[in-house]
Amino acid sequence: MSKVVTPSGAPNQKTVLPSGIRVISEHIPSVHSITLGVWIWSGSRFERESQHGVAHFLEHMLFKGTARRDAFEIARTIESQGGYLNAFTGKELNCYFVRVLKDADEVSIDLLADILQNSVFDPIETEKEKGVVIDEINGMEDTPEELVLDTFTGIVWQPHTLSRSILGTPDAVASLNPDSLREYLDSHYVSDRVYVIATGAVDHDRLVRLVDKAFSLPKSSKGVAFSSVERPDRQIAVVSKDISQTHVCLGGVGIPYNDTRKYALYVLNTVLGGGMTSRLFQSIREQAGLAYAIYSDLDFYHDTGLVSVYAGTDADDVPLVLEEVYKECNRLCSEPISDVELKDAKSQLTGGLLLSLESTSNIMNRLARGEIYLDQYEPTEDSIAA
């Protein structure tokens, strides 16, 4: 068992268990709760064609019963402690997390280990949950802002697995069964793909003992395999819906999480469309009155990224909105950002980061992504300096 203590007196500690599970914690003396997450390299980009939607569906099914607990008892285990239990699936990662009072750390780790290792995938529960997930997929059709982003990522990364919807399709979900769930879990929920991250009133040595006792996931010798992402040709996709607004998303491939240029990109994004003082908001909403919602956004992944601009506008105004977006993007390339804009963008980013760290959940997320994507802890002051 190896232990790494973050330098400079920081409260972060890291231990790598013999199994390969990485345990990382940050002690925050001012709180009485713990936010604890189990992160796994098991997102939708790792699905085979025949498994589309399995990563997200598996996340649902891990709450439906183990050999020791049924679905009600899984929820009751945390809620009876006054805590909160949830999970999410992304393109690359799954996360199962709780927020509980510090005295509930042992039962929380026991529960998370139980659902990850001992879920039974009852056929009746599997069929019932298919209906729930298919309703979730159909619900996206009624949420145009989500649908347009899903369509956008679909053409940016096509035909790579990153292009596919995390939720899957109704037909793909309907084809899943307990065997396909078990196969995906056994292939991806392995110890050297797992990170246990805790923040708050956490004792690191106790956390390590509890995780070591509760988890007995198999170890894989393959590591995480990432298929290469090619830069796509320019494409346009149009989805016709009987709604009053037109929702537009445009952009393209960005940079990966570990690219140090991301700090410059953060600043550029903030200037372009990162808030109410941004160029897009001021020109398109405030001055021209062409859109209620207008912003730019960034996503970062292991080996690629995404840069996007979103607008919700009247169908007749789409050409004018696009013209303004292009104008502002071109102006970023041709004219230096003013000293005032640069200073304000840096202050906005710095303030947003510091305010976000008043939440133990946000601290847990930041700690996790630093470990997963950078293999190190990145002190807040280093991010601000960068």
Side-chain angles (χ1 to χ4, degrees), residues 47-62:
E47 298 169 348
R48 298 195 304 270
E49 186 67 36
S50 61
Q51 298 174 316
H52 189 194
V54 68
H56 172 255
F57 190 67
L58 178 59
E59 172 219 311
H60 276 239
M61 288 304 301
L62 291 185

Side-chain angles (χ1 to χ4, degrees), residues 42-47 90-92 160-162 164 184 225-229 301-304:
S42 56
S44 59
R45 80 173 289 174
F46 303 110
E47 298 169 348
K91 297 282 189 184
E92 296 183 325
H160 194 276
T161 50
L162 282 169
R164 299 199 302 235
Y184 195 80
F226 296 93
S227 55
S228 60
V229 181
Y301 297 96
H302 168 74
D303 51 358
T304 186

Side-chain angles (χ1 to χ4, degrees), residues 8-218:
S8 303
N12 308 84
Q13 295 188 66
K14 171 182 174 180
T15 299
V16 182
L17 298 177
S19 64
I21 293 177
R22 299 164 184 82
V23 182
I24 300 97
S25 72
E26 178 169 335
H27 179 71
I28 304 170
S30 60
V31 302
H32 300 283
S33 65
I34 294 174
T35 299
L36 173 73
V38 180
W39 296 70
I40 308 154
W41 283 111
S42 56
S44 59
R45 80 173 289 174
F46 303 110
E47 298 169 348
R48 298 195 304 270
E49 186 67 36
S50 61
Q51 298 174 316
H52 189 194
V54 68
H56 172 255
F57 190 67
L58 178 59
E59 172 219 311
H60 276 239
M61 288 304 301
L62 291 185
F63 290 87
K64 294 303 171 184
T66 71
R68 295 164 49 200
R69 299 176 171 99
D70 60 16
F72 177 82
E73 189 61 26
I74 288 172
R76 180 180 175 275
T77 298
I78 298 301
E79 292 186 358
S80 66
Q81 302 284 338
Y84 175 75
L85 168 68
N86 211 334
F88 61 82
T89 302
K91 297 282 189 184
E92 296 183 325
L93 299 164
N94 280 83
C95 177
Y96 301 84
F97 63 95
V98 297
R99 188 176 183 210
V100 292
L101 295 176
K102 63 181 180 179
D103 292 339
D105 58 348
E106 184 170 8
V107 69
S108 298
I109 292 169
D110 179 73
L111 173 72
L112 291 172
D114 191 26
I115 65 173
L116 294 178
Q117 298 173 152
N118 304 314
S119 286
V120 295
F121 304 134
D122 178 78
I124 295 174
E125 291 295 331
T126 302
E127 290 304 312
K128 285 165 54 178
E129 199 63 20
K130 284 181 185 181
V132 173
V133 173
I134 289 172
D135 283 345
E136 185 179 358
I137 294 169
N138 293 334
M140 196 192 326
E141 295 288 328
D142 299 327
T143 313
E145 188 172 344
E146 292 184 18
L147 180 60
V148 73
L149 182 59
D150 215 45
T151 304
F152 168 70
T153 56
I155 64 173
V156 168
W157 283 313
Q158 207 171 46
H160 194 276
T161 50
L162 282 169
S163 70
R164 299 199 302 235
S165 170
I166 293 169
L167 300 181
T169 65
D171 287 345
V173 171
S175 71
L176 298 173
N177 57 55
D179 289 340
S180 55
L181 295 173
R182 178 65 60 188
E183 179 191 358
Y184 195 80
L185 183 144
D186 290 345
S187 299
H188 299 280
Y189 285 57
V190 292
S191 59
D192 40 356
R193 287 179 174 226
V194 172
Y195 303 75
V196 178
I197 316 288
T199 58
V202 57
D203 179 292
H204 184 78
D205 292 336
R206 173 178 167 84
L207 175 68
V208 169
R209 289 195 301 271
L210 292 174
V211 171
D212 196 30
K213 175 184 175 183
F215 282 85
S216 56
L217 291 165

Side-chain angles (χ1 to χ4, degrees), residues 195-308:
Y195 303 75
V196 178
I197 316 288
T199 58
V202 57
D203 179 292
H204 184 78
D205 292 336
R206 173 178 167 84
L207 175 68
V208 169
R209 289 195 301 271
L210 292 174
V211 171
D212 196 30
K213 175 184 175 183
F215 282 85
S216 56
L217 291 165
K219 189 172 184 178
S220 170
S221 59
K222 297 179 180 179
V224 185
F226 296 93
S227 55
S228 60
V229 181
E230 302 296 329
R231 184 171 290 273
D233 296 328
R234 293 180 63 180
Q235 299 180 67
I236 296 174
V238 177
V239 178
S240 296
K241 305 283 289 183
D242 186 19
I243 54 177
S244 58
Q245 267 200 323
T246 297
H247 298 260
V248 181
C249 191
L250 67 156
V253 174
I255 57 178
Y257 194 96
N258 64 357
D259 192 319
T260 56
R261 295 174 298 167
K262 72 172 183 265
Y263 299 102
L265 188 55
Y266 280 137
V267 175
L268 283 170
N269 179 68
T270 302
V271 171
L272 178 63
M276 294 173 63
T277 57
S278 69
R279 293 182 177 186
L280 289 178
F281 192 94
Q282 287 297 310
S283 64
I284 293 174
R285 174 167 172 168
E286 295 296 283
Q287 296 173 22
L290 291 172
Y292 173 73
I294 175 74
Y295 60 84
S296 59
D297 199 15
L298 306 172
D299 278 311
F300 301 98
Y301 297 96
H302 168 74
D303 51 358
T304 186
L306 202 64
V307 179
S308 60

